[in-house]
Amino acid sequence: MVIHTPRLALRPVEQSDAPALLDAMRCPLVHQMHSDGFHSLAHVQRYIDVLIGEYAQGKFRTLGIAHKPEDKLIGMITIDEQAVFSRVELGYWIHLDWRNEGYSTEAVSAVVEDCFAKGRANRIQALTSNPASARVLEKAGLRYEGTLRQYFGKGNGFADVRMYAVLQGDCRAGAAQKNIP
C-alpha cells in the first residue's frame, strides 16, 4: 500500500529506513510516541522486522512518510482501523528537522481522503496533547470534540488529550458546499 501526495509517499517502512528512524528519536516528542523509544540501531531494526511481518500479512497499519525527491523517511503515520466500529484512529510524527513545512497536514489529509475513498471507515479520529498537532488535525479537516481528562500516563502523572474527528458525511457536506455557486 502506497499513498502519494505531491511531495510525499506514504509507504511501507524498510530496513534501509532504520538510520532515519533512529535519528528521529533524538526528539523527545517523537520518542514518547513509542512505548520505550529506540536507543539502538538493532532495536529499530527489530521494530521494522515486526512491521515487515505485518505487511506480509496484508496489514498496513504503520507507514513511513517519505520525502519523494530522495525517498527519505521523515516521519511515520499509524492508521489503526477498527472495522467493527467503522472507525480509524490516526497517530503520526514528523522528524524535528522537517517540521513546520506542512508535511504532517499533507500526510494526514491524504490518509483521511484515502480511508474515506476506500470506504474503510465512517469516522477518523486522533488524540493529541500537542498544540501544533491540533493545528495539523484542524487543517486536515478534523474537528475538536472534547478533552479526555487524564487519558494516559505520562512520567509520574497523567496527561489530558484532545479528541479530534471527521466523519465521512462531513467530507461529503464540505465537498457539496464547495460546488455551490
Side-chain angles (χ1 to χ4, degrees):
M1 173 179 171
V2 179
I3 302 170
H4 290 280
T5 74
R7 302 181 298 169
L8 304 171
L10 296 121
R11 58 159 176 79
V13 179
E14 304 164 350
Q15 281 297 343
S16 61
D17 295 318
L21 182 54
L22 183 61
D23 181 53
M25 288 297 130
R26 66 187 164 100
C27 175
L29 292 175
V30 172
H31 196 285
Q32 77 180 9
M33 298 294 290
H34 299 275
S35 59
D36 59 352
F38 297 115
H39 304 286
S40 70
L41 192 58
H43 189 179
V44 172
Q45 290 168 330
R46 285 191 301 274
Y47 172 68
I48 293 173
D49 282 339
V50 170
L51 294 178
I52 290 170
E54 290 177 1
Y55 302 149
Q57 296 173 13
K59 298 175 185 173
F60 294 90
R61 182 176 168 267
T62 301
L63 298 173
I65 301 172
H67 190 249
K68 276 185 179 177
E70 57 274 351
D71 192 34
K72 178 180 176 63
L73 184 88
I74 64 168
M76 293 179 70
I77 191 161
T78 300
I79 308 159
D80 192 7
E81 189 172 350
Q82 301 293 318
V84 69
F85 300 115
S86 192
R87 178 177 67 220
V88 167
E89 185 158 335
L90 299 179
Y92 58 90
W93 58 262
I94 293 290
H95 189 291
L96 184 64
D97 295 343
W98 294 82
R99 293 194 187 147
N100 301 312
E101 300 292 330
Y103 294 116
S104 293
T105 301
E106 191 171 326
V108 170
S109 296
V111 168
V112 168
E113 184 179 317
D114 186 74
C115 285
F116 285 150
K118 292 180 178 170
R120 291 175 67 179
N122 178 60
R123 175 186 174 86
I124 298 173
Q125 64 187 37
L127 301 171
T128 187
S129 59
N130 177 335
S133 186
R135 287 189 299 278
V136 165
L137 296 170
E138 290 169 351
K139 288 178 188 177
L142 284 78
R143 298 178 187 168
Y144 171 71
E145 292 190 330
T147 298
L148 304 175
R149 299 178 310 132
Q150 296 185 2
Y151 189 74
F152 66 89
K154 187 174 184 178
N156 292 330
F158 296 91
D160 296 347
V161 295
R162 295 169 57 100
M163 170 69 79
Y164 287 81
V166 61
L167 304 177
Q168 190 167 35
D170 296 338
C171 290
R172 279 194 219 117
Q177 289 174 351
K178 290 178 186 176
N179 293 329
I180 296 174

